[in-house]
């Protein structure tokens, strides 16, 4: 009896994990509504596996943010300056 | 207190400026709007342009064409969702350039894996954080182009799903699906490299 209860609990927990994992990335991106976000947050306080997965995606997101600055090579920086000058030149054309 | 102002060359006075008039009055000139909405996005345009073209020189040309088209469109731009609007121009400009120059690239971009750019590094000489970041960069460069662009827009450029969907001309569900698969692939690659504890299931 106790065994079947624990299996039922495990199945419920697994079902909850499946739902939450579909929502982990939208949660990370701030795309969930308040109720769903709260449900995910609540689940994460009780589930190490889902929390580790969220942390893993969060690390990737943070690394990509950092990479946005780090991947600008000197050549890119020169291109950027040329493009800014080009953009400023367009503005100058509108002057009377 | 009512806002009083003169209207046109005659001396008619509008006693209360309605919301629409106020909006018109507050709308910046095309040149100002270009400076406000477009110029700050040039680094993002260049990054995404580089992903789309896979060539730094092509990317610069693409962004230059995009800037020109954006500038010419400023007078009709309504000020709503400027990033989505601007990146839609980038995408259209890219498609038009390819149509003229390299039609074969339009066949099925998903089949074309980005060529990983050589980036030799010795993780032992780097901090763990830098090694992780480099591995993420390598992993994202290995993604099919459609996935890569979505991951870049959302993670590098902080686009919302709706903005990315508008910019790419696809439904939000497609953005979510490509993002989910893209990040999962990145994570799998990191796990394979021993840089992520992704043993807890990837779905």
């Amino acid at each position: 009896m106790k065994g079947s209860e624990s299996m039922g609990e495990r199945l419920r927990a697994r079902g909850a994990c499946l739902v939450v994992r579909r929502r982990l990335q939208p949660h990370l991106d701030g795309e969930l509504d308040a109720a769903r976000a709260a449900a995910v947050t609540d689940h994460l306080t009780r589930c190490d596996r889902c929390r580790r997965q969220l942390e893993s995606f969060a690390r990737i997101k943070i690394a990509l943010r950092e990479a946005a600055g780090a991947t600008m090579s000197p050549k890119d920086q020169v291109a950027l300056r040329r493009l800014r000058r080009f953009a400023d030149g367009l503005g100058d054309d509108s002057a009377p | 207190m009512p806002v009083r102002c003169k209207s046109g060359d005659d001396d008619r006075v509008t006693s209360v400026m309605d919301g629409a008039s106020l909006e018109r009055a507050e709308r910046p000139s095309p040149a100002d709007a270009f400076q406000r909405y477009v110029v700050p996005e040039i680094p993002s345009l260049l990054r995404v342009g580089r992903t789309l073209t896979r060539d730094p020189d092509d990317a610069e040309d693409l962004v230059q064409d995009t800037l020109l088209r954006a500038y010419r469109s400023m007078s009709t731009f309504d000020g709503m969702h400027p990033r989505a609007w601007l990146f839609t121009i980038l995408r259209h400009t890219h498609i038009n350039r390819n149509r003229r120059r390299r039609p074969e690239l339009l066949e099925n971009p998903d089949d074309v894996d980005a060529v990983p750019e050589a980036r030799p590094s010795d993780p032992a000489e780097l901090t763990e954080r830098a090694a992780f970041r480099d591995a993420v960069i390598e992993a994202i460069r290995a993604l099919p182009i459609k996935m890569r662009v979505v991951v870049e827009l959302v993670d590098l450029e902080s686009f919302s799903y709706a903005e990315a969907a508008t910019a790419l001309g696809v439904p939000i569900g497609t953005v979510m699906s490509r993002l989910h698969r893209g990040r999962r692939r990145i994570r799998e690659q990191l796990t394979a490299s021993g840089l992520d504890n992704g043993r807890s299931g990837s779905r």
Side-chain angles (χ1 to χ4, degrees):
Chain A
M1 188 70 176
K2 191 177 178 186
S4 68
E5 279 177 7
S6 96
M7 179 174 283
E9 285 170 7
R10 279 203 300 273
L11 286 173
R12 271 196 298 279
R14 184 176 292 181
C17 287
L18 287 175
V19 171
V20 165
R21 290 198 186 168
R22 277 202 303 272
R23 294 176 178 167
L24 277 183
Q25 294 195 37
H27 181 62
L28 180 67
D29 297 325
E31 296 275 347
L32 289 184
D33 59 43
R36 287 195 171 96
V40 170
T41 302
D42 180 57
H43 178 85
L44 293 175
T45 61
R46 289 177 279 108
C47 180
D48 286 344
R49 285 159 61 95
C50 288
R51 193 171 61 247
R52 277 202 302 272
Q53 197 167 125
L54 180 73
E55 286 168 357
S56 170
F57 285 126
R59 284 185 76 200
I60 292 170
K61 192 176 179 80
I62 290 167
L64 285 169
R65 287 266 168 84
E66 290 178 353
T71 54
M72 276 282 169
S73 67
K75 187 174 181 181
D76 289 333
Q77 298 289 352
V78 172
L80 211 50
R81 279 199 293 276
R82 273 197 297 264
L83 287 167
R84 285 194 170 119
R85 273 201 303 273
F86 177 77
D88 289 343
L90 291 174
D92 290 345
D93 286 347
S94 72
Chain B
M1 184 176 165
V3 179
R4 300 183 70 82
C5 62
K6 284 190 174 183
S7 174
D9 291 328
D10 61 21
D11 283 335
R12 282 183 294 128
V13 174
T14 307
S15 59
V16 177
M17 187 181 275
D18 60 31
S21 304
L22 196 59
E23 194 179 319
R24 276 195 299 276
E26 289 176 349
R27 183 183 280 194
S29 71
D32 287 345
F34 184 77
Q35 285 296 323
R36 180 186 300 183
Y37 297 124
V38 177
V39 171
E41 300 294 340
I42 292 176
S44 296
L45 288 169
L46 189 59
R47 276 193 294 269
V48 176
R50 207 174 41 185
T51 297
L52 291 173
T53 61
R54 285 170 253 161
D55 179 278
D57 295 328
D58 270 359
E60 187 177 346
D61 289 345
L62 169 63
V63 174
Q64 187 168 314
D65 287 355
T66 301
L67 291 172
L68 189 58
R69 289 179 66 162
Y71 187 79
R72 288 173 177 163
S73 307
M74 282 318 306
S75 58
T76 55
F77 172 54
D78 62 6
M80 303 290 286
H81 311 298
R83 301 187 89 197
W85 167 79
L86 183 57
F87 281 78
T88 299
I89 294 177
L90 178 78
R91 176 170 57 88
H92 287 162
T93 307
H94 174 61
I95 290 171
N96 288 340
R97 284 165 56 89
N98 273 349
R99 210 168 262 151
R100 286 198 304 269
R101 300 163 54 215
R102 294 184 294 181
E104 75 280 2
L105 287 183
L106 295 174
E107 289 301 316
N108 190 353
D110 256 348
D111 290 342
V112 184
D113 278 355
V115 178
E117 294 161 38
R119 198 179 164 80
S121 60
D122 180 3
E125 294 176 9
L126 301 168
T127 64
E128 184 187 348
R129 194 182 178 96
F132 184 80
R133 193 187 64 208
D134 284 356
V136 170
I137 293 170
E138 199 171 308
I140 196 174
R141 284 177 176 158
L143 290 179
I145 197 79
K146 285 185 176 178
M147 276 187 211
R148 180 176 168 179
V149 169
V150 172
V151 175
E152 287 191 357
L153 286 180
V154 174
D155 281 347
L156 269 77
E157 314 301 344
S158 303
F159 273 50
S160 69
Y161 292 177
E163 284 177 323
T166 303
L168 298 172
V170 298
I172 284 186
T174 303
V175 166
M176 293 174 71
S177 163
R178 289 179 188 171
L179 187 62
H180 186 84
R181 285 183 290 139
R183 283 176 174 158
R184 206 172 65 206
R185 283 200 195 189
I186 292 173
R187 189 161 172 256
E188 285 166 357
Q189 186 161 332
L190 294 172
T191 302
S193 310
L195 287 164
D196 185 83
N197 60 345
R199 302 276 178 210
S200 53
S202 58
R203 288 171 194 275

